[in-house]
Amino acid sequence: MTLLKNLTLQLVRIWHAVKDENLHWQTQTHPQQTQLRQAQLLAEHDLQATLSKKTVQLEHDIALLKTRHDTELGIYKTRCQQDIKDYQHYLAALDQLKTSIQNSYPQLPEAVAFGIHHHAKQLLNRMWECSEFEQKMRHEMQLLTFMSTLHEEARLHLEGKSEGILPERTLDLLQQQ
Amino acid sequence: MIIRVSLWLLACAFLALLLNQLLLWLSVPGLPEFFAQLSIAIILAAFGLLLTGGLLLGIQLIFASLSDYFSAPQRSLRRLLFILNRQENLKQQFYFKKLKLDLIHEAHRQRILKANERKHLNALANTIAQDLLTIKNQVPRATFLQLQQENNCYRKQQNGAALLQLQQKIAALIPS
């Protein structure tokens, strides 16, 4: 019984010794611990300040970016709408061309007039859908040459200066391509 | 510390079991059973201590991580990341809005082109119909009806090449 009591008391003493040692260590290192905690708090505060500044700057950037995007999209939309109007004008010009051929060459079959108009429309679409600038210019040149040849022939025929009942040069151009 | 205590308790339990075996070998009456029960109790205590320590440590870790998550730097960092994400989204949105504008205008252009095509093909079909009427009395009725049907069919299909061929066919039938 006393053995057990002694053993228990010994254990309790060991436990208290451990706690005393811990308390002694804590008291000794108290200044360093406070310093560490202060440094940690300062670092956290600095980090939070940097992050808040970055956030504000980023929000400002986003507002600017949004305005710039809106403006660019507005300009792009206007440009696309203008392109569509140009396309409609081109088509109207081709329709006028067909009417002028039909008026200049009254004996011209409808099929030939349709074929010429269809070819001109093909050239226009090829030019419009081309993505490379050089190729686009080349196609536009082809279309303008075609239209000018046709106009010229129609004018000459109306003035009675050309012979034949068909626009020969235009049909040759059609055959070439 | 807790692990050390648990291991000591386990050692004590094994000791008690050894004593139990010794006393059984020495055929002592009441003690072996007591030591056996004591060793079981000590093992239970050791593992109970280990588990409780583990649980408490777990709870402590959870609280520490929660307090870190809701701390000011982490909140600011999350806000910053959210805003960065919003900037990326804006850039993507711009690209897709531009693409949408492209598609809309391309579709508009195609509609205009199709309407123009329809107008001219209808004009061609009308001319073909007029030509057919001129040769109505010169061809058999069946041929006339068939040609008329072909004209209507190709007009509905908006088939330009077929209409041109049809006109050539009719032009061949027209007496010069």
Side-chain angles (χ1 to χ4, degrees), chain A residues 66 69 73, chain B residues 88-98:
Chain A
K66 213 163 177 215
H69 282 166
L73 281 173
Chain B
E88 282 306 312
N89 283 346
L90 257 170
K91 286 181 188 161
Q92 267 189 344
Q93 227 181 45
F94 176 71
Y95 168 74
F96 284 120
K97 274 186 182 165
K98 205 166 181 181

Side-chain angles (χ1 to χ4, degrees), chain B residues 75-88:
Chain B
R75 276 187 289 125
S76 311
L77 183 66
R78 274 201 300 277
R79 203 173 298 145
L80 182 72
L81 288 170
F82 173 77
I83 290 175
L84 267 169
N85 196 20
R86 193 142 47 107
Q87 195 187 39
E88 282 306 312

Side-chain angles (χ1 to χ4, degrees), chain A residues 105 153 156-158 160-169:
Chain A
Y105 296 87
E153 276 197 305
L156 285 172
H157 190 84
L158 271 177
K161 287 186 186 150
S162 82
E163 301 160 4
I165 55 166
L166 296 171
E168 300 293 335
R169 273 169 32 209

Side-chain angles (χ1 to χ4, degrees), chain B residues 1 3 47 54 60 68-69 72 78 90 93 96 102 110 119 126 138 166 171-172 174:
Chain B
M1 180 65 192
I3 297 172
F47 280 116
Q60 203 179 32
D68 263 342
Y69 184 82
R78 274 201 300 277
L90 257 170
Q93 227 181 45
F96 284 120
D102 273 336
Q110 290 293 340
K119 188 173 89 178
N126 287 339
Q138 279 112 40
L166 184 64
I174 291 174

Side-chain angles (χ1 to χ4, degrees), chain A:
Chain A
M1 205 58 225
T2 12
L3 197 71
L4 207 65
K5 188 175 158 192
N6 284 340
L7 191 66
T8 325
L9 279 170
Q10 193 77 11
L11 282 169
V12 168
R13 264 186 228 124
I14 289 172
W15 182 250
H16 283 156
V18 163
K19 283 189 82 172
D20 272 333
E21 186 64 42
N22 187 31
L23 191 65
H24 182 67
W25 181 83
Q26 294 271 11
T27 340
Q28 268 201 319
T29 55
H30 189 261
Q32 286 111 309
Q33 282 189 21
T34 338
Q35 210 179 23
L36 205 70
R37 239 174 276 141
Q38 228 176 12
Q40 197 180 14
L41 277 169
L42 271 170
E44 259 187 31
H45 188 73
D46 282 341
L47 180 64
Q48 206 218 331
T50 326
L51 288 171
S52 314
K53 241 191 291 180
K54 270 207 180 121
T55 312
V56 167
Q57 198 188 16
L58 209 58
E59 273 176 346
H60 177 68
D61 284 344
I62 281 178
L64 281 175
L65 193 70
K66 213 163 177 215
T67 340
R68 204 180 76 200
H69 282 166
D70 287 339
T71 326
E72 276 181 29
L73 281 173
I75 291 172
Y76 190 70
K77 190 174 180 183
T78 323
R79 206 177 75 198
C80 286
Q81 283 169 344
Q82 190 57 43
D83 281 348
I84 295 268
K85 283 206 182 93
D86 290 343
Y87 189 74
Q88 279 175 321
H89 287 149
Y90 260 116
L91 284 178
L94 290 181
D95 288 349
Q96 226 176 14
L97 193 73
K98 187 180 177 190
T99 329
S100 82
I101 303 167
Q102 284 174 327
N103 291 337
S104 321
Y105 296 87
Q107 290 171 340
L108 190 75
E110 170 73 22
V112 177
F114 180 83
I116 292 173
H117 173 79
H118 186 71
H119 179 76
K121 216 172 0 186
Q122 260 182 347
L123 284 176
L124 173 67
N125 283 331
R126 222 180 289 168
M127 178 197 87
W128 207 267
E129 281 153 18
C130 192
S131 49
E132 289 167 19
F133 187 69
E134 276 181 27
Q135 195 81 336
K136 211 184 199 60
M137 286 290 115
R138 233 174 286 154
H139 285 140
E140 192 174 12
M141 220 60 253
Q142 270 180 338
L143 177 67
L144 288 171
T145 322
F146 187 75
M147 282 173 81
S148 56
T149 317
L150 203 54
H151 268 304
E152 192 62 33
E153 276 197 305
R155 189 180 65 82
L156 285 172
H157 190 84
L158 271 177
E159 287 171 7
K161 287 186 186 150
S162 82
E163 301 160 4
I165 55 166
L166 296 171
E168 300 293 335
R169 273 169 32 209
T170 315
L171 292 172
D172 284 337
L173 274 173
L174 224 97
Q175 294 282 342
Q176 275 170 26
Q177 286 157 12

Side-chain angles (χ1 to χ4, degrees), chain B residues 132 135 138-139 143 147 167-176:
Chain B
L132 258 180
I135 62 163
Q138 279 112 40
V139 293
T143 323
L147 289 171
Q167 189 174 47
Q168 278 177 356
K169 213 192 307 183
I170 290 171
L173 289 171
I174 291 174
S176 50

